[in-house]
Amino acid sequence: MSHMDQPQVQDIAKRIIDNVEKVIVGKRWAVELAVTALLSQGHILIKDIPGVGKTMLGKSLAQSIDCVFKRIQLTPDMLPSDITGVSVFNQQTGEFMFRPGPILGQIVLADEINRATPKTQSALLEALAERQVTVDGVTHSIARPFMLVATENPIEHGGVFPLPEAQLDRFMMRIQLGYPSYEDEMSIIDRQRIQHPIEGLGVVAGADEVMGAQEVIKSIFVDRQVQRYIVLLVHATRKHDNVMLGASPRASLDLFRSSQALALLRGRDYVIPDDVKELAVVVMGHRVIVGPAVRMNGVDGCQIVEDVLQHIAVPYARAGGRVARSPD
Protein backbone atom coordinates (compact mmCIF):
# COMPACT_ATOMS: atom_id res chain seq x y z
CA MET A 1 0.00 0.00 0.00
CA SER A 2 1.74 3.18 -1.15
CA HIS A 3 1.97 6.15 1.20
CA MET A 4 -0.71 8.74 0.51
CA ASP A 5 -0.93 12.42 1.27
CA GLN A 6 -3.98 14.31 2.44
CA PRO A 7 -4.97 15.86 -0.95
CA GLN A 8 -5.02 12.35 -2.45
CA VAL A 9 -7.35 11.13 0.31
CA GLN A 10 -9.58 14.16 -0.17
CA ASP A 11 -9.74 13.35 -3.89
CA ILE A 12 -10.63 9.68 -3.16
CA ALA A 13 -13.41 10.76 -0.79
CA LYS A 14 -14.82 13.23 -3.34
CA ARG A 15 -14.77 10.61 -6.11
CA ILE A 16 -16.68 8.13 -3.92
CA ILE A 17 -19.25 10.74 -2.82
CA ASP A 18 -19.84 11.96 -6.39
CA ASN A 19 -20.19 8.37 -7.63
CA VAL A 20 -22.69 7.34 -4.94
CA GLU A 21 -24.70 10.49 -5.69
CA LYS A 22 -25.43 9.11 -9.15
CA VAL A 23 -27.64 6.60 -7.33
CA ILE A 24 -28.67 8.45 -4.15
CA VAL A 25 -30.21 11.70 -5.43
CA GLY A 26 -30.30 14.91 -3.38
CA LYS A 27 -28.90 13.45 -0.15
CA ARG A 28 -25.29 14.67 -0.26
CA TRP A 29 -25.08 15.19 3.51
CA ALA A 30 -26.11 11.57 4.18
CA VAL A 31 -23.66 10.30 1.54
CA GLU A 32 -20.88 12.45 3.05
CA LEU A 33 -21.66 10.96 6.46
CA ALA A 34 -21.47 7.40 5.08
CA VAL A 35 -18.08 8.11 3.47
CA THR A 36 -16.88 9.84 6.67
CA ALA A 37 -17.80 6.66 8.61
CA LEU A 38 -16.07 4.48 6.02
CA LEU A 39 -12.85 6.50 6.21
CA SER A 40 -12.92 6.52 10.03
CA GLN A 41 -13.56 2.75 10.15
CA GLY A 42 -17.03 3.03 11.66
CA HIS A 43 -20.37 1.32 11.04
CA ILE A 44 -23.66 3.05 10.30
CA LEU A 45 -27.27 2.48 11.23
CA ILE A 46 -29.88 3.92 8.86
CA LYS A 47 -33.21 4.27 10.65
CA ASP A 48 -35.72 5.35 8.04
CA ILE A 49 -38.98 4.75 6.27
CA PRO A 50 -39.18 2.13 3.46
CA GLY A 51 -38.20 2.96 -0.11
CA VAL A 52 -35.86 5.92 0.39
CA GLY A 53 -32.67 4.17 -0.79
CA LYS A 54 -31.18 2.67 2.37
CA THR A 55 -30.13 -0.54 0.59
CA MET A 56 -28.87 1.36 -2.45
CA LEU A 57 -26.62 3.52 -0.30
CA GLY A 58 -24.74 0.43 0.95
CA LYS A 59 -24.67 -1.23 -2.45
CA SER A 60 -23.45 1.84 -4.36
CA LEU A 61 -20.75 2.44 -1.74
CA ALA A 62 -19.45 -1.13 -2.16
CA GLN A 63 -19.55 -0.88 -5.95
CA SER A 64 -17.67 2.44 -5.91
CA ILE A 65 -14.71 1.00 -4.00
CA ASP A 66 -14.68 -2.46 -5.63
CA CYS A 67 -15.42 -4.30 -2.39
CA VAL A 68 -17.33 -7.52 -1.79
CA PHE A 69 -20.94 -6.58 -1.06
CA LYS A 70 -23.11 -8.94 0.96
CA ARG A 71 -26.71 -8.47 1.96
CA ILE A 72 -28.42 -10.08 4.94
CA GLN A 73 -32.21 -9.82 4.97
CA LEU A 74 -32.93 -10.34 8.65
CA THR A 75 -36.07 -12.17 9.77
CA PRO A 76 -37.24 -13.49 13.17
CA ASP A 77 -36.48 -17.14 12.23
CA MET A 78 -32.81 -16.50 11.35
CA LEU A 79 -30.11 -18.24 13.36
CA PRO A 80 -26.68 -16.82 14.27
CA SER A 81 -25.06 -19.39 11.93
CA ASP A 82 -27.05 -17.88 9.02
CA ILE A 83 -24.90 -14.77 9.54
CA THR A 84 -21.52 -16.09 10.65
CA GLY A 85 -21.37 -19.29 8.56
CA VAL A 86 -21.19 -22.98 9.43
CA SER A 87 -18.73 -25.86 9.52
CA VAL A 88 -19.78 -28.53 7.02
CA PHE A 89 -18.45 -32.11 7.06
CA ASN A 90 -16.68 -33.03 3.82
CA GLN A 91 -17.02 -36.77 3.25
CA GLN A 92 -14.19 -36.86 0.70
CA THR A 93 -11.57 -35.45 3.06
CA GLY A 94 -13.17 -36.58 6.31
CA GLU A 95 -12.76 -33.05 7.69
CA PHE A 96 -15.00 -30.14 8.56
CA MET A 97 -14.86 -27.22 6.16
CA PHE A 98 -15.91 -23.68 7.07
CA ARG A 99 -18.56 -22.23 4.80
CA PRO A 100 -18.47 -18.46 5.43
CA GLY A 101 -21.67 -16.54 6.09
CA PRO A 102 -22.57 -13.16 4.61
CA ILE A 103 -20.97 -11.19 7.48
CA LEU A 104 -17.59 -12.11 5.96
CA GLY A 105 -18.08 -9.59 3.16
CA GLN A 106 -16.52 -6.12 3.15
CA ILE A 107 -19.46 -3.77 2.82
CA VAL A 108 -22.26 -5.73 4.49
CA LEU A 109 -25.88 -4.60 4.50
CA ALA A 110 -27.90 -5.94 7.43
CA ASP A 111 -31.42 -5.13 6.26
CA GLU A 112 -34.09 -4.56 8.91
CA ILE A 113 -31.77 -5.49 11.76
CA ASN A 114 -34.56 -5.04 14.31
CA ARG A 115 -36.46 -8.01 12.82
CA ALA A 116 -33.83 -10.50 14.05
CA THR A 117 -34.03 -12.02 17.52
CA PRO A 118 -31.55 -10.81 20.17
CA LYS A 119 -29.57 -14.05 19.80
CA THR A 120 -29.13 -13.49 16.07
CA GLN A 121 -28.43 -9.78 16.52
CA SER A 122 -25.65 -10.74 18.94
CA ALA A 123 -23.93 -12.69 16.13
CA LEU A 124 -23.19 -9.29 14.57
CA LEU A 125 -21.54 -7.85 17.69
CA GLU A 126 -18.18 -9.61 17.42
CA ALA A 127 -17.93 -8.59 13.78
CA LEU A 128 -18.82 -4.98 14.62
CA ALA A 129 -16.34 -4.63 17.46
CA GLU A 130 -13.45 -6.87 16.46
CA ARG A 131 -13.83 -7.41 12.70
CA GLN A 132 -13.84 -11.19 13.13
CA VAL A 133 -16.26 -14.07 13.74
CA THR A 134 -15.79 -17.19 15.81
CA VAL A 135 -17.47 -20.41 14.66
CA ASP A 136 -16.94 -23.72 16.52
CA GLY A 137 -14.06 -22.18 18.45
CA VAL A 138 -12.18 -21.06 15.33
CA THR A 139 -11.75 -17.33 14.69
CA HIS A 140 -12.04 -16.02 11.13
CA SER A 141 -10.85 -12.51 10.28
CA ILE A 142 -12.97 -10.29 8.06
CA ALA A 143 -11.25 -8.72 5.05
CA ARG A 144 -10.68 -4.98 5.25
CA PRO A 145 -12.03 -2.45 4.61
CA PHE A 146 -15.07 -3.71 6.54
CA MET A 147 -18.21 -1.71 7.19
CA LEU A 148 -21.65 -2.78 8.34
CA VAL A 149 -24.57 -0.74 7.04
CA ALA A 150 -27.58 -1.76 9.11
CA THR A 151 -31.09 -0.55 8.35
CA GLU A 152 -33.92 -0.26 10.80
CA ASN A 153 -37.56 0.22 9.90
CA PRO A 154 -39.15 2.54 12.48
CA ILE A 155 -42.72 2.14 11.18
CA GLU A 156 -43.59 -1.41 12.16
CA HIS A 157 -43.87 -2.48 15.78
CA GLY A 158 -45.11 -6.05 15.29
CA GLY A 159 -42.47 -8.78 15.07
CA VAL A 160 -39.54 -6.49 15.78
CA PHE A 161 -36.93 -6.58 18.53
CA PRO A 162 -35.55 -3.20 19.62
CA LEU A 163 -31.77 -2.90 19.45
CA PRO A 164 -30.22 -3.03 22.94
CA GLU A 165 -28.13 -0.06 24.09
CA ALA A 166 -24.88 -2.08 23.93
CA GLN A 167 -25.54 -2.84 20.26
CA LEU A 168 -26.52 0.72 19.35
CA ASP A 169 -23.22 1.82 20.87
CA ARG A 170 -21.32 -0.25 18.26
CA PHE A 171 -22.58 2.02 15.46
CA MET A 172 -20.49 5.11 14.84
CA MET A 173 -23.44 7.00 13.34
CA ARG A 174 -27.16 6.83 12.88
CA ILE A 175 -28.18 8.42 9.59
CA GLN A 176 -31.55 9.38 8.14
CA LEU A 177 -32.22 9.86 4.44
CA GLY A 178 -35.85 11.02 4.57
CA TYR A 179 -38.18 11.64 1.66
CA PRO A 180 -36.71 13.32 -1.43
CA SER A 181 -37.85 16.82 -2.44
CA TYR A 182 -40.33 17.22 -5.33
CA GLU A 183 -37.52 18.05 -7.80
CA ASP A 184 -35.36 15.15 -6.61
CA GLU A 185 -38.23 12.69 -6.89
CA MET A 186 -38.88 13.83 -10.48
CA SER A 187 -35.17 13.31 -11.18
CA ILE A 188 -35.24 9.80 -9.61
CA ILE A 189 -38.06 8.75 -11.98
CA ASP A 190 -36.19 10.22 -14.98
CA ARG A 191 -32.97 8.40 -14.09
CA GLN A 192 -34.66 5.05 -13.63
CA ARG A 193 -36.84 5.19 -16.74
CA ILE A 194 -34.59 2.83 -18.71
CA GLN A 195 -32.45 1.13 -16.07
CA HIS A 196 -31.39 1.63 -12.46
CA PRO A 197 -28.26 3.85 -12.16
CA ILE A 198 -26.63 1.18 -9.92
CA GLU A 199 -26.35 -1.13 -12.96
CA GLY A 200 -23.89 1.15 -14.69
CA LEU A 201 -22.05 2.36 -11.60
CA GLY A 202 -18.28 2.13 -12.03
CA VAL A 203 -15.40 1.68 -9.60
CA VAL A 204 -13.74 4.97 -8.58
CA ALA A 205 -11.33 3.77 -5.85
CA GLY A 206 -9.69 0.50 -4.86
CA ALA A 207 -10.02 -1.24 -1.49
CA ASP A 208 -6.29 -0.64 -0.86
CA GLU A 209 -6.78 3.10 -1.49
CA VAL A 210 -9.56 3.17 1.09
CA MET A 211 -7.33 1.40 3.62
CA GLY A 212 -4.54 3.87 2.89
CA ALA A 213 -6.99 6.73 3.35
CA GLN A 214 -8.10 5.30 6.72
CA GLU A 215 -4.48 5.49 7.91
CA VAL A 216 -4.03 9.08 6.71
CA ILE A 217 -7.17 10.16 8.63
CA LYS A 218 -5.40 9.29 11.90
CA SER A 219 -2.75 11.96 11.17
CA ILE A 220 -5.27 14.85 11.04
CA PHE A 221 -4.36 17.31 13.80
CA VAL A 222 -6.74 17.70 16.75
CA ASP A 223 -5.88 20.51 19.15
CA ARG A 224 -6.06 19.73 22.87
CA GLN A 225 -8.87 22.31 23.22
CA VAL A 226 -10.96 20.55 20.55
CA GLN A 227 -10.33 17.18 22.19
CA ARG A 228 -11.44 18.71 25.50
CA TYR A 229 -14.60 20.05 23.78
CA ILE A 230 -15.44 16.52 22.51
CA VAL A 231 -15.06 15.00 25.98
CA LEU A 232 -17.05 17.82 27.63
CA LEU A 233 -19.94 17.24 25.21
CA VAL A 234 -19.96 13.50 25.93
CA HIS A 235 -19.77 14.05 29.69
CA ALA A 236 -22.61 16.58 29.54
CA THR A 237 -24.95 13.91 28.10
CA ARG A 238 -24.26 11.76 31.17
CA LYS A 239 -25.07 14.55 33.63
CA HIS A 240 -28.21 15.77 31.85
CA ASP A 241 -31.33 15.75 34.08
CA ASN A 242 -33.51 13.92 31.53
CA VAL A 243 -31.04 11.16 30.68
CA MET A 244 -31.02 7.58 31.97
CA LEU A 245 -27.87 6.60 30.09
CA GLY A 246 -25.42 9.03 28.52
CA ALA A 247 -22.95 8.54 25.68
CA SER A 248 -20.10 6.07 26.26
CA PRO A 249 -16.31 6.48 25.97
CA ARG A 250 -16.69 4.76 22.58
CA ALA A 251 -18.79 7.78 21.55
CA SER A 252 -15.87 10.09 22.45
CA LEU A 253 -13.52 8.03 20.28
CA ASP A 254 -16.03 7.89 17.40
CA LEU A 255 -16.64 11.65 17.56
CA PHE A 256 -12.88 12.26 17.61
CA ARG A 257 -12.13 9.95 14.66
CA SER A 258 -15.11 11.02 12.51
CA SER A 259 -14.24 14.71 13.09
CA GLN A 260 -10.78 13.97 11.68
CA ALA A 261 -12.35 12.41 8.57
CA LEU A 262 -14.84 15.26 8.11
CA ALA A 263 -12.07 17.87 8.46
CA LEU A 264 -10.20 16.16 5.61
CA LEU A 265 -13.38 16.03 3.49
CA ARG A 266 -13.64 19.80 4.04
CA GLY A 267 -10.05 20.28 2.82
CA ARG A 268 -8.31 20.88 6.15
CA ASP A 269 -5.47 19.05 7.92
CA TYR A 270 -6.83 20.00 11.35
CA VAL A 271 -10.20 19.68 13.13
CA ILE A 272 -12.23 22.75 14.11
CA PRO A 273 -15.08 22.78 16.66
CA ASP A 274 -17.62 23.13 13.84
CA ASP A 275 -16.65 19.63 12.59
CA VAL A 276 -17.49 18.28 16.04
CA LYS A 277 -20.78 20.21 16.18
CA GLU A 278 -21.77 18.96 12.72
CA LEU A 279 -21.31 15.33 13.76
CA ALA A 280 -22.39 15.39 17.43
CA VAL A 281 -26.05 14.48 16.87
CA VAL A 282 -25.46 11.64 14.36
CA VAL A 283 -22.67 10.17 16.50
CA MET A 284 -24.26 10.55 19.95
CA GLY A 285 -28.04 10.84 19.44
CA HIS A 286 -28.70 7.09 19.24
CA ARG A 287 -26.51 6.34 22.28
CA VAL A 288 -28.31 8.68 24.69
CA ILE A 289 -31.24 6.99 26.43
CA VAL A 290 -33.79 9.44 27.84
CA GLY A 291 -35.95 8.88 30.91
CA PRO A 292 -39.51 7.53 30.48
CA ALA A 293 -41.19 10.77 31.58
CA VAL A 294 -39.56 12.95 28.90
CA ARG A 295 -39.83 10.17 26.30
CA MET A 296 -43.61 10.39 26.71
CA ASN A 297 -43.33 14.03 25.64
CA GLY A 298 -41.52 13.04 22.44
CA VAL A 299 -37.99 13.98 23.58
CA ASP A 300 -35.25 11.71 22.25
CA GLY A 301 -31.47 11.40 22.47
CA CYS A 302 -30.93 13.69 19.49
CA GLN A 303 -32.73 16.56 21.24
CA ILE A 304 -30.62 16.02 24.36
CA VAL A 305 -27.44 16.30 22.25
CA GLU A 306 -28.82 19.50 20.61
CA ASP A 307 -29.44 20.88 24.10
CA VAL A 308 -25.91 19.99 25.24
CA LEU A 309 -24.45 21.73 22.15
CA GLN A 310 -26.25 24.93 23.19
CA HIS A 311 -24.75 24.89 26.69
CA ILE A 312 -21.12 23.79 26.26
CA ALA A 313 -18.77 26.65 25.44
CA VAL A 314 -17.02 26.36 22.07
CA PRO A 315 -13.22 26.85 22.07
CA TYR A 316 -12.04 29.90 20.10
CA ALA A 317 -8.99 30.52 17.94
CA ARG A 318 -5.57 30.74 19.54
CA ALA A 319 -2.24 31.80 18.13
CA GLY A 320 -1.56 29.76 15.02
CA GLY A 321 -5.28 29.53 14.17
CA ARG A 322 -5.44 25.78 14.64
CA VAL A 323 -8.63 25.91 16.72
CA ALA A 324 -10.30 28.50 14.54
CA ARG A 325 -14.07 28.44 14.30
CA SER A 326 -15.31 28.57 10.77
CA PRO A 327 -17.20 31.82 10.03
CA ASP A 328 -20.91 31.56 10.92
Side-chain angles (χ1 to χ4, degrees):
M1 197 187 305
S2 60
H3 182 69
M4 286 189 195
D5 57 21
Q6 289 169 351
Q8 282 175 297
V9 175
Q10 196 187 345
D11 179 56
I12 289 166
K14 187 179 184 304
R15 290 203 309 261
I16 297 169
I17 291 165
D18 290 347
N19 206 45
V20 172
E21 274 207 302
K22 293 175 185 172
V23 178
I24 307 294
V25 180
K27 299 290 175 190
R28 190 172 181 89
W29 172 225
V31 175
E32 281 185 352
L33 285 177
V35 173
T36 299
L38 174 71
L39 294 181
S40 41
Q41 300 181 49
H43 308 288
I44 58 174
L45 177 65
I46 310 177
K47 187 172 183 177
D48 223 325
I49 46 198
V52 291
K54 301 188 292 287
T55 307
M56 282 300 148
L57 178 59
K59 200 170 181 181
S60 53
L61 201 56
Q63 230 162 289
S64 298
I65 58 174
D66 200 19
C67 280
V68 177
F69 176 73
K70 299 277 187 185
R71 183 167 187 252
I72 312 167
Q73 184 65 54
L74 291 147
T75 55
D77 59 350
M78 276 189 94
L79 299 171
S81 59
D82 293 330
I83 289 171
T84 57
V86 287
S87 294
V88 180
F89 186 70
N90 184 329
Q91 291 190 316
Q92 268 83 36
T93 61
E95 291 176 347
F96 280 94
M97 282 175 60
F98 177 62
R99 188 171 288 167
I103 195 66
L104 280 104
Q106 288 177 292
I107 307 290
V108 180
L109 182 87
D111 219 354
E112 296 194 294
I113 191 172
N114 52 332
R115 284 198 176 283
T117 60
K119 185 177 182 180
T120 303
Q121 284 184 22
S122 70
L124 295 164
L125 291 183
E126 186 184 7
L128 281 169
E130 296 162 52
R131 290 173 165 76
Q132 62 182 39
V133 293
T134 305
V135 179
D136 296 335
V138 180
T139 299
H140 305 272
S141 293
I142 296 172
R144 293 172 184 243
F146 170 65
M147 180 179 181
L148 186 79
V149 180
T151 74
E152 192 179 354
N153 181 346
I155 306 300
E156 293 165 58
H157 298 288
V160 294
F161 303 86
L163 270 66
E165 287 73 20
Q167 190 166 336
L168 285 170
D169 193 39
R170 297 293 206 288
F171 290 99
M172 178 178 269
M173 299 178 188
R174 185 173 66 190
I175 298 174
Q176 278 187 298
L177 293 168
Y179 287 124
S181 66
Y182 171 81
E183 291 80 9
D184 289 337
E185 202 154 348
M186 290 291 281
S187 172
I188 288 166
I189 293 171
D190 288 339
R191 288 183 189 206
Q192 294 189 27
R193 194 165 288 184
I194 309 299
Q195 66 166 17
H196 199 290
I198 193 91
E199 289 169 37
L201 199 67
V203 175
V204 294
D208 55 340
E209 286 182 294
V210 173
M211 287 161 69
Q214 289 173 340
E215 289 306 308
V216 173
I217 293 298
K218 296 173 185 175
S219 68
I220 297 295
F221 177 80
V222 184
D223 188 273
R224 197 79 184 161
Q225 291 292 323
V226 177
Q227 184 176 325
R228 185 170 171 270
Y229 179 56
I230 289 169
V231 176
L232 283 171
L233 288 174
V234 174
H235 273 240
T237 67
R238 298 174 196 163
K239 296 175 187 161
H240 199 285
D241 293 341
N242 297 331
V243 168
M244 279 171 59
L245 184 71
S248 69
R250 192 185 277 121
S252 303
L253 285 165
D254 282 353
L255 193 51
F256 181 90
R257 184 74 74 227
S258 57
S259 296
Q260 288 179 302
L262 188 67
L264 190 57
L265 251 67
R266 300 278 186 262
R268 279 180 275 103
D269 62 356
Y270 59 94
V271 174
I272 61 171
D274 283 28
D275 298 325
V276 178
K277 289 176 81 169
E278 211 171 330
L279 292 165
V281 174
V282 291
V283 171
M284 291 197 290
H286 59 291
R287 305 174 201 245
V288 175
I289 312 300
V290 298
V294 288
R295 194 182 304 138
M296 296 284 281
N297 295 329
V299 175
D300 63 8
C302 294
Q303 284 158 282
I304 299 292
V305 177
E306 295 274 13
D307 187 45
V308 162
L309 285 168
Q310 297 293 318
H311 290 95
I312 299 295
V314 179
Y316 282 88
R318 298 192 323 208
R322 283 286 199 172
V323 197
R325 292 182 72 177
S326 63
D328 291 329

